[in-house]
Amino acid sequence: MRNTLDVEKITCQRGDNLLFAGLSLRFQPGDFVQIEGRNGIGKTSLLRILTGLAQPLRGKVRWNLNEISQYREDYQYDLLYLGHLSGIKPELTVWENLSFYQQVSHCLQGNDVLWQALDKVGLLGYEDIVASQLSAGQQKRIGLARLWLSQAPLWILDEPFNAIDKNGVEMLIAHLEQHCQQGGIVIITSHQDVLSQMLQKVRLDLYPFYGEDE
């Protein structure tokens, strides 16, 4: 069961609110999945559970049959997570941010791939600018550049298409498809239409919480 993510009867709580229950899924190599549902249903909460940043009220998440809470370091090595925040260091330049990411993550190495990543996200010419001096959209693109560096098999992305233009969206979708075609897994949320024949959808509205005896 190499590179398989199993969600086993997850119940999700946010604050005092119980959002959904009994969610069981399996994500396998080649899967490109969008998590859908009405606002407030728990899409971001689910992604945080899948990354190990939050714990479910009940249920388990397993990566290669191992509970992620017990094999956190190994799991993080195989995972790239991009949340709502860009996850960059504002005091570092664009180049320094990506170089640091190369050093600490499961990444392609070398300056050539850094230049290629900058080109893909439209940041050539900005490499020596401190991230805090860039717009929110440009900071977002620093985070997205990691997608052209990462060798992690599992990508979990929360609203990755925000703050990028139509051409950028199309290029990013093509890159996500390529990752899946090469045996990776991509799990996303998005308020935008994602035009991909590979895309599968999971609706959290189908897993409402009914109480202790659901």
Side-chain angles (χ1 to χ4, degrees), residues 13-139:
Q13 180 175 7
R14 184 173 61 204
D16 294 330
N17 296 321
L18 292 161
L19 302 178
F20 57 84
L23 177 63
S24 293
L25 299 167
R26 167 167 284 185
F27 303 96
Q28 302 182 91
D31 283 349
F32 184 12
V33 180
Q34 180 178 354
I35 306 299
E36 292 189 320
R38 58 177 171 78
N39 289 342
I41 192 64
K43 298 185 291 294
T44 292
S45 295
L46 174 60
L47 295 195
R48 289 179 59 81
I49 289 172
L50 296 184
T51 63
L53 293 174
Q55 297 298 314
L57 182 65
R58 288 192 287 274
K60 293 178 172 49
V61 178
R62 301 182 190 273
W63 176 246
N64 297 331
L65 304 182
N66 299 311
E67 285 191 48
I68 63 173
S69 59
Q70 298 179 14
Y71 293 86
R72 189 175 300 276
E73 185 174 343
D74 291 343
Y75 182 56
Q76 294 301 317
Y77 184 75
D78 285 341
L79 169 68
L80 170 61
Y81 172 58
L82 297 181
H84 279 294
L85 301 178
S86 59
I88 64 173
K89 295 183 179 295
E91 70 275 13
L92 299 182
T93 66
V94 173
W95 182 272
E96 289 168 342
N97 265 285
L98 295 180
S99 180
F100 175 77
Y101 179 70
Q102 267 188 327
Q103 295 171 35
V104 301
S105 303
H106 188 185
C107 279
L108 297 167
Q109 299 297 314
N111 289 346
D112 287 347
V113 293
L114 281 181
W115 287 117
Q116 292 168 12
L118 288 170
D119 184 34
K120 291 295 186 182
V121 298
L123 288 177
L124 279 180
Y126 294 86
E127 57 274 0
D128 294 326
I129 297 179
V130 175
S132 61
Q133 298 177 4
L134 297 175
S135 68
Q138 290 168 326
Q139 292 183 27

Side-chain angles (χ1 to χ4, degrees), residues 140-152:
K140 173 85 170 184
R141 283 187 273 164
I142 299 174
L144 290 174
R146 298 172 183 172
L147 296 169
W148 278 268
L149 300 175
S150 175
Q151 292 184 295

